[in-house]
Amino acid sequence: MSDRSTPGRLLRAHLGLTYLFLYGPIAVLMVLSLNRAGLPTAWTGVSLHWYGELARRPEILSAALNTLVVAAASTLIATTLGTSLALGVEARARRGLLDALLFAPMIIPDIVLAIALLSFFTLLEVTLGLHSIILSHAVFNIAFVCAVVRTRLRSFDHSITEASADLGATPFTTFRRITLPVIFPGVLAGALLAFTLSFDEFIIAFFTAGAGESSTTLPMRIYAMIRFGVTPEINAMATLIMLVSFTLVLASQRLQPQGARP
Protein backbone atom coordinates (compact mmCIF):
# COMPACT_ATOMS: atom_id res chain seq x y z
CA MET A 1 0.00 0.00 0.00
CA SER A 2 2.82 2.38 0.88
CA ASP A 3 4.64 1.65 -2.37
CA ARG A 4 1.51 2.33 -4.43
CA SER A 5 0.88 5.68 -2.79
CA THR A 6 4.45 6.91 -3.24
CA PRO A 7 4.01 8.04 -6.89
CA GLY A 8 0.83 9.87 -5.91
CA ARG A 9 2.59 11.70 -3.09
CA LEU A 10 5.44 12.64 -5.41
CA LEU A 11 3.01 14.00 -7.98
CA ARG A 12 1.16 16.02 -5.34
CA ALA A 13 4.45 17.37 -4.01
CA HIS A 14 5.53 18.30 -7.55
CA LEU A 15 2.18 20.02 -8.15
CA GLY A 16 2.47 21.91 -4.88
CA LEU A 17 5.98 23.11 -5.69
CA THR A 18 4.87 24.20 -9.16
CA TYR A 19 2.00 26.26 -7.74
CA LEU A 20 4.35 27.72 -5.14
CA PHE A 21 6.80 28.73 -7.87
CA LEU A 22 4.01 30.29 -9.95
CA TYR A 23 2.02 32.05 -7.26
CA GLY A 24 4.52 32.54 -4.45
CA PRO A 25 5.81 35.90 -5.78
CA ILE A 26 2.22 37.08 -6.34
CA ALA A 27 1.31 36.16 -2.77
CA VAL A 28 4.34 38.08 -1.46
CA LEU A 29 3.32 41.09 -3.54
CA MET A 30 -0.21 41.03 -2.13
CA VAL A 31 1.05 40.72 1.43
CA LEU A 32 3.48 43.63 1.00
CA SER A 33 0.66 45.79 -0.38
CA LEU A 34 -1.06 45.37 3.01
CA ASN A 35 2.03 46.21 5.05
CA ARG A 36 1.49 49.46 6.94
CA ALA A 37 5.19 50.33 6.79
CA GLY A 38 5.45 49.69 3.08
CA LEU A 39 8.87 48.10 3.55
CA PRO A 40 9.70 44.49 2.67
CA THR A 41 12.09 44.29 5.61
CA ALA A 42 9.72 45.34 8.39
CA TRP A 43 6.16 44.24 9.12
CA THR A 44 4.16 46.78 11.15
CA GLY A 45 0.64 45.47 10.70
CA VAL A 46 -2.13 45.11 8.16
CA SER A 47 -3.43 48.30 6.58
CA LEU A 48 -5.25 49.47 3.45
CA HIS A 49 -3.39 52.77 3.61
CA TRP A 50 -1.55 52.30 0.31
CA TYR A 51 -4.77 51.51 -1.53
CA GLY A 52 -6.18 54.76 -0.23
CA GLU A 53 -3.07 56.55 -1.46
CA LEU A 54 -3.86 55.41 -4.99
CA ALA A 55 -7.15 57.32 -4.90
CA ARG A 56 -5.26 60.49 -3.99
CA ARG A 57 -2.89 60.31 -6.94
CA PRO A 58 -4.49 62.08 -9.95
CA GLU A 59 -1.95 60.70 -12.42
CA ILE A 60 -2.80 57.15 -11.36
CA LEU A 61 -6.55 57.78 -11.60
CA SER A 62 -6.07 59.30 -15.06
CA ALA A 63 -4.03 56.28 -16.19
CA ALA A 64 -6.67 53.91 -14.78
CA LEU A 65 -9.40 55.76 -16.68
CA ASN A 66 -7.38 55.59 -19.90
CA THR A 67 -6.88 51.87 -19.37
CA LEU A 68 -10.61 51.29 -18.93
CA VAL A 69 -11.42 53.33 -22.04
CA VAL A 70 -8.85 51.46 -24.12
CA ALA A 71 -9.94 48.06 -22.81
CA ALA A 72 -13.65 48.73 -23.31
CA ALA A 73 -13.32 50.24 -26.79
CA SER A 74 -10.85 47.65 -28.10
CA THR A 75 -12.98 44.85 -26.64
CA LEU A 76 -16.06 46.14 -28.44
CA ILE A 77 -14.21 46.30 -31.76
CA ALA A 78 -12.41 42.97 -31.31
CA THR A 79 -15.57 41.15 -30.18
CA THR A 80 -17.58 42.40 -33.16
CA LEU A 81 -14.90 41.61 -35.74
CA GLY A 82 -13.71 38.43 -34.03
CA THR A 83 -17.22 36.98 -33.84
CA SER A 84 -17.88 37.82 -37.49
CA LEU A 85 -14.55 36.25 -38.43
CA ALA A 86 -15.35 33.09 -36.48
CA LEU A 87 -18.72 32.74 -38.20
CA GLY A 88 -17.11 33.19 -41.61
CA VAL A 89 -14.28 30.76 -40.96
CA GLU A 90 -16.54 28.04 -39.55
CA ALA A 91 -18.78 28.32 -42.60
CA ARG A 92 -15.85 27.44 -44.85
CA ALA A 93 -13.93 24.21 -45.26
CA ARG A 94 -11.09 23.78 -42.79
CA ARG A 95 -7.74 24.90 -44.18
CA GLY A 96 -4.49 24.70 -42.28
CA LEU A 97 -3.07 27.85 -43.87
CA LEU A 98 -6.16 29.87 -42.97
CA ASP A 99 -5.99 28.73 -39.35
CA ALA A 100 -2.30 29.59 -39.24
CA LEU A 101 -3.01 33.11 -40.49
CA LEU A 102 -5.77 33.56 -37.92
CA PHE A 103 -3.61 32.43 -35.02
CA ALA A 104 -0.52 34.37 -36.12
CA PRO A 105 -1.25 37.47 -33.98
CA MET A 106 -1.49 35.19 -30.94
CA ILE A 107 2.00 33.75 -31.36
CA ILE A 108 3.89 36.69 -32.84
CA PRO A 109 6.00 38.34 -30.10
CA ASP A 110 4.33 41.47 -28.77
CA ILE A 111 7.33 43.64 -29.55
CA VAL A 112 7.30 42.55 -33.21
CA LEU A 113 3.60 43.32 -33.51
CA ALA A 114 4.13 46.65 -31.72
CA ILE A 115 6.88 47.69 -34.13
CA ALA A 116 4.75 46.65 -37.10
CA LEU A 117 1.79 48.66 -35.85
CA LEU A 118 3.97 51.68 -35.14
CA SER A 119 5.43 51.48 -38.64
CA PHE A 120 1.94 51.19 -40.10
CA PHE A 121 0.69 54.27 -38.24
CA THR A 122 3.81 56.17 -39.26
CA LEU A 123 3.32 55.18 -42.91
CA LEU A 124 -0.26 56.46 -42.83
CA GLU A 125 0.84 59.56 -40.90
CA VAL A 126 -1.61 58.82 -38.12
CA THR A 127 -1.11 60.88 -34.97
CA LEU A 128 -0.51 58.59 -32.01
CA GLY A 129 -2.76 58.75 -28.99
CA LEU A 130 -5.40 56.80 -27.12
CA HIS A 131 -7.13 55.97 -30.43
CA SER A 132 -3.99 54.28 -31.81
CA ILE A 133 -3.72 52.12 -28.68
CA ILE A 134 -7.38 51.13 -29.04
CA LEU A 135 -6.92 50.08 -32.68
CA SER A 136 -3.69 48.22 -31.87
CA HIS A 137 -5.28 46.29 -29.01
CA ALA A 138 -8.25 45.46 -31.22
CA VAL A 139 -5.91 43.96 -33.83
CA PHE A 140 -4.18 41.96 -31.11
CA ASN A 141 -7.43 40.69 -29.56
CA ILE A 142 -9.40 39.73 -32.68
CA ALA A 143 -7.61 36.39 -32.96
CA PHE A 144 -8.33 35.51 -29.32
CA VAL A 145 -12.02 36.34 -29.65
CA CYS A 146 -12.22 34.36 -32.88
CA ALA A 147 -10.60 31.32 -31.26
CA VAL A 148 -12.99 31.37 -28.28
CA VAL A 149 -16.11 31.84 -30.39
CA ARG A 150 -15.05 29.06 -32.74
CA THR A 151 -14.97 26.60 -29.84
CA ARG A 152 -18.60 27.48 -29.21
CA LEU A 153 -19.53 27.14 -32.87
CA ARG A 154 -18.12 23.62 -33.06
CA SER A 155 -21.00 22.42 -30.86
CA PHE A 156 -23.56 24.54 -32.71
CA ASP A 157 -26.43 22.70 -34.40
CA HIS A 158 -26.66 24.32 -37.83
CA SER A 159 -29.94 22.55 -38.57
CA ILE A 160 -31.81 25.17 -36.51
CA THR A 161 -30.57 27.97 -38.77
CA GLU A 162 -31.61 25.95 -41.81
CA ALA A 163 -35.04 25.50 -40.26
CA SER A 164 -35.23 29.25 -39.65
CA ALA A 165 -34.41 29.94 -43.30
CA ASP A 166 -37.03 27.42 -44.42
CA LEU A 167 -39.63 29.29 -42.34
CA GLY A 168 -38.83 32.51 -44.22
CA ALA A 169 -36.55 34.31 -41.77
CA THR A 170 -33.93 36.63 -43.23
CA PRO A 171 -30.23 35.91 -42.52
CA PHE A 172 -30.08 38.87 -40.13
CA THR A 173 -33.18 37.72 -38.23
CA THR A 174 -31.76 34.20 -38.00
CA PHE A 175 -28.51 35.55 -36.61
CA ARG A 176 -30.23 37.88 -34.14
CA ARG A 177 -32.90 35.46 -32.90
CA ILE A 178 -31.12 32.10 -33.11
CA THR A 179 -27.37 32.12 -33.78
CA LEU A 180 -26.33 34.93 -31.44
CA PRO A 181 -28.33 33.72 -28.38
CA VAL A 182 -26.87 30.23 -28.76
CA ILE A 183 -23.24 31.34 -29.13
CA PHE A 184 -23.54 34.32 -26.76
CA PRO A 185 -21.72 32.60 -23.86
CA GLY A 186 -18.75 32.09 -26.18
CA VAL A 187 -18.96 35.69 -27.41
CA LEU A 188 -19.06 36.96 -23.83
CA ALA A 189 -16.15 34.72 -22.88
CA GLY A 190 -14.13 36.08 -25.79
CA ALA A 191 -15.02 39.64 -24.79
CA LEU A 192 -13.91 39.06 -21.20
CA LEU A 193 -10.64 37.56 -22.39
CA ALA A 194 -10.07 40.49 -24.77
CA PHE A 195 -10.77 42.98 -21.99
CA THR A 196 -8.30 41.21 -19.71
CA LEU A 197 -5.56 41.15 -22.33
CA SER A 198 -6.07 44.82 -23.17
CA PHE A 199 -6.24 45.81 -19.50
CA ASP A 200 -2.86 44.20 -18.78
CA GLU A 201 -1.04 44.90 -22.05
CA PHE A 202 2.05 47.12 -21.91
CA ILE A 203 4.42 46.65 -24.88
CA ILE A 204 1.98 47.43 -27.69
CA ALA A 205 0.53 50.35 -25.74
CA PHE A 206 4.02 51.70 -25.03
CA PHE A 207 4.97 51.70 -28.73
CA THR A 208 1.70 53.07 -30.09
CA ALA A 209 0.87 55.70 -27.43
CA GLY A 210 1.27 59.40 -27.98
CA ALA A 211 3.22 61.76 -25.77
CA GLY A 212 1.75 63.05 -22.53
CA GLU A 213 -0.61 61.85 -19.82
CA SER A 214 -3.61 61.74 -22.14
CA SER A 215 -2.51 58.41 -23.62
CA THR A 216 -0.76 56.85 -20.61
CA THR A 217 -2.30 53.58 -19.47
CA LEU A 218 -1.98 51.99 -16.04
CA PRO A 219 0.74 49.46 -17.03
CA MET A 220 2.69 52.33 -18.59
CA ARG A 221 2.30 54.37 -15.39
CA ILE A 222 3.58 51.44 -13.33
CA TYR A 223 6.59 51.13 -15.62
CA ALA A 224 7.35 54.84 -15.23
CA MET A 225 7.10 54.58 -11.44
CA ILE A 226 9.08 51.36 -11.05
CA ARG A 227 12.20 52.87 -12.60
CA PHE A 228 12.71 54.67 -9.28
CA GLY A 229 12.17 51.52 -7.23
CA VAL A 230 9.24 49.38 -6.11
CA THR A 231 7.02 51.47 -3.86
CA PRO A 232 4.00 50.38 -1.77
CA GLU A 233 1.69 52.08 -4.27
CA ILE A 234 3.08 49.88 -7.04
CA ASN A 235 2.42 46.79 -4.93
CA ALA A 236 -1.17 47.93 -4.39
CA MET A 237 -1.72 48.72 -8.08
CA ALA A 238 -0.23 45.41 -9.18
CA THR A 239 -2.45 43.57 -6.71
CA LEU A 240 -5.59 45.27 -8.02
CA ILE A 241 -4.64 44.55 -11.65
CA MET A 242 -3.95 40.93 -10.78
CA LEU A 243 -7.30 40.54 -9.00
CA VAL A 244 -9.20 42.10 -11.92
CA SER A 245 -7.36 39.92 -14.44
CA PHE A 246 -7.87 36.74 -12.42
CA THR A 247 -11.58 37.44 -12.00
CA LEU A 248 -12.14 38.13 -15.70
CA VAL A 249 -10.14 35.11 -16.86
CA LEU A 250 -12.02 32.87 -14.42
CA ALA A 251 -15.34 34.22 -15.69
CA SER A 252 -14.21 33.66 -19.27
CA GLN A 253 -13.26 30.05 -18.50
CA ARG A 254 -16.61 29.39 -16.81
CA LEU A 255 -18.48 30.62 -19.90
CA GLN A 256 -16.58 28.40 -22.33
CA PRO A 257 -17.87 24.91 -23.20
CA GLN A 258 -16.56 22.20 -20.90
CA GLY A 259 -14.62 20.50 -23.68
CA ALA A 260 -12.93 23.72 -24.74
CA ARG A 261 -11.36 24.52 -21.39
CA PRO A 262 -7.66 23.80 -20.93
Side-chain angles (χ1 to χ4, degrees):
M1 184 70 178
S2 176
D3 293 339
R4 293 179 181 178
S5 62
T6 298
R9 287 199 298 267
L10 290 176
L11 287 175
R12 287 193 294 271
H14 177 267
L15 180 63
L17 291 174
T18 301
Y19 278 118
L20 180 62
F21 177 78
L22 290 174
Y23 297 105
I26 297 177
V28 171
L29 176 72
M30 296 178 65
V31 171
L32 289 178
S33 72
L34 298 172
N35 186 8
R36 185 187 303 273
L39 299 174
T41 56
W43 180 263
T44 58
V46 177
S47 174
L48 297 176
H49 169 74
W50 303 112
Y51 291 90
E53 285 294 318
L54 295 179
R56 290 186 283 271
R57 299 279 295 274
E59 69 276 12
I60 293 177
L61 295 179
S62 175
L65 178 60
N66 289 340
T67 299
L68 291 175
V69 170
V70 168
S74 63
T75 296
L76 179 61
I77 297 172
T79 302
T80 302
L81 297 180
T83 301
S84 302
L85 183 60
L87 290 169
V89 170
E90 286 298 312
R92 296 170 58 91
R94 298 291 178 82
R95 296 180 181 178
L97 180 59
L98 180 60
D99 285 344
L101 291 174
L102 289 175
F103 293 136
M106 301 171 64
I107 61 176
I108 292 176
D110 286 358
I111 191 169
V112 175
L113 183 59
I115 294 173
L117 289 167
L118 176 59
S119 301
F120 180 73
F121 289 137
T122 302
L123 180 65
L124 296 181
E125 298 182 354
V126 175
T127 303
L128 299 181
L130 215 58
H131 58 282
S132 58
I133 303 177
I134 291 172
L135 293 176
S136 300
H137 280 190
V139 170
F140 175 71
N141 286 328
I142 285 174
F144 290 93
V145 174
C146 178
V148 174
V149 175
R150 286 180 69 186
T151 61
R152 189 75 181 183
L153 286 171
R154 290 188 184 121
S155 60
F156 182 76
D157 184 6
H158 293 278
S159 63
I160 58 177
T161 59
E162 295 173 358
S164 176
D166 291 340
L167 293 173
T170 64
F172 178 74
T173 300
T174 300
F175 173 77
R176 182 173 60 88
R177 300 291 297 272
I178 297 177
T179 305
L180 184 58
V182 172
I183 67 172
F184 184 74
V187 174
L188 182 58
L192 290 174
L193 180 59
F195 188 93
T196 304
L197 294 172
S198 180
F199 190 85
D200 295 342
E201 206 284 322
F202 166 73
I203 296 178
I204 295 176
F206 183 79
F207 274 77
T208 58
E213 296 290 332
S214 60
S215 59
T216 299
T217 62
L218 200 55
M220 292 170 61
R221 171 57 57 189
I222 293 176
Y223 174 75
M225 294 172 61
I226 206 171
R227 289 183 296 175
F228 302 100
V230 179
T231 63
E233 292 92 342
I234 293 177
N235 292 334
M237 277 194 294
T239 299
L240 290 176
I241 291 176
M242 186 274 299
L243 291 176
V244 170
S245 301
F246 180 81
T247 301
L248 292 176
V249 170
L250 181 62
S252 174
Q253 289 292 314
R254 294 293 298 272
L255 288 169
Q256 292 186 45
Q258 187 69 30
R261 298 180 193 175

